[in-house]
Amino acid sequence: MFTNGVFKFELRCPLKYNDAGTHPTVKFTSYVYNPHVHPTTGEVDIKREYPRWDSNRHFLTTVLTYVKRIFYTREYQDEDDKYPNQEALKLYKTDLEGFRRRVAECVRESQKGVYLNENGSTVSDCFLSS
């Protein structure tokens, strides 16, 4: 459903990253219509997937894999009230075509800003070609 979407995000590590219980944070800076993504803050609840952060088992690649996986989820089986975007979850469960339309809108919107970077971004014009 999210095919061709270009969703930008920030991955931040706390100062005491890799201490027990110090999760990194992921926040989308582009709008993502997904039950796993908070509709106003763009945050992904990493603690939901990794309740106890263990620096011997969990790595940034683990987090990135989880973030990728939320775009492929086809079923939402956990407790419904645990998802940050309740509207998206309800629409997915009650009107799949309506959900797909909203996802298609956010994919189109993501493509409009593909070459625009947020202030303070470490990404330069490496995506631009002449």
Side-chain angles (χ1 to χ4, degrees):
M1 281 188 255
F2 293 91
T3 303
N4 296 324
V6 181
F7 303 110
K8 298 177 183 180
F9 63 92
E10 297 174 349
L11 174 64
R12 295 192 181 264
C13 299
L15 290 176
K16 293 187 177 193
Y17 174 69
N18 265 352
D19 284 359
T22 55
H23 295 73
T25 59
V26 174
K27 177 183 174 185
F28 282 94
T29 57
S30 52
Y31 181 69
V32 178
Y33 190 76
N34 185 303
H36 290 282
V37 180
H38 193 280
T40 54
T41 66
E43 290 184 58
V44 177
D45 187 5
I46 299 301
K47 292 178 183 178
R48 177 183 160 81
E49 183 71 8
Y50 309 103
R52 289 180 175 71
W53 187 261
D54 179 352
S55 61
N56 294 315
R57 295 183 331 154
H58 303 131
F59 308 98
L60 293 180
T61 55
T62 312
V63 172
L64 294 174
T65 300
Y66 173 64
V67 169
K68 181 180 176 182
R69 197 169 63 237
I70 70 171
F71 291 102
Y72 295 101
T73 301
R74 296 283 186 241
E75 292 184 27
Y76 299 94
Q77 299 174 347
D78 294 344
E79 299 171 39
D80 287 352
D81 64 336
K82 303 273 186 198
Y83 289 91
N85 190 336
Q86 289 292 302
E87 177 198 321
L89 178 64
K90 183 178 179 184
L91 192 60
Y92 179 87
K93 290 186 171 199
T94 61
D95 179 8
L96 188 55
E97 283 309 309
F99 178 81
R100 287 183 175 154
R101 282 191 297 275
R102 293 289 301 271
V103 167
E105 281 177 36
C106 89
V107 166
R108 280 191 302 275
E109 197 60 34
S110 77
Q111 293 168 344
K112 290 179 183 177
V114 70
Y115 296 112
L116 302 175
N117 293 317
E118 300 291 321
N119 287 337
S121 172
T122 57
V123 178
S124 63
D125 297 329
C126 62
F127 297 112
L128 299 177
S129 61
S130 49

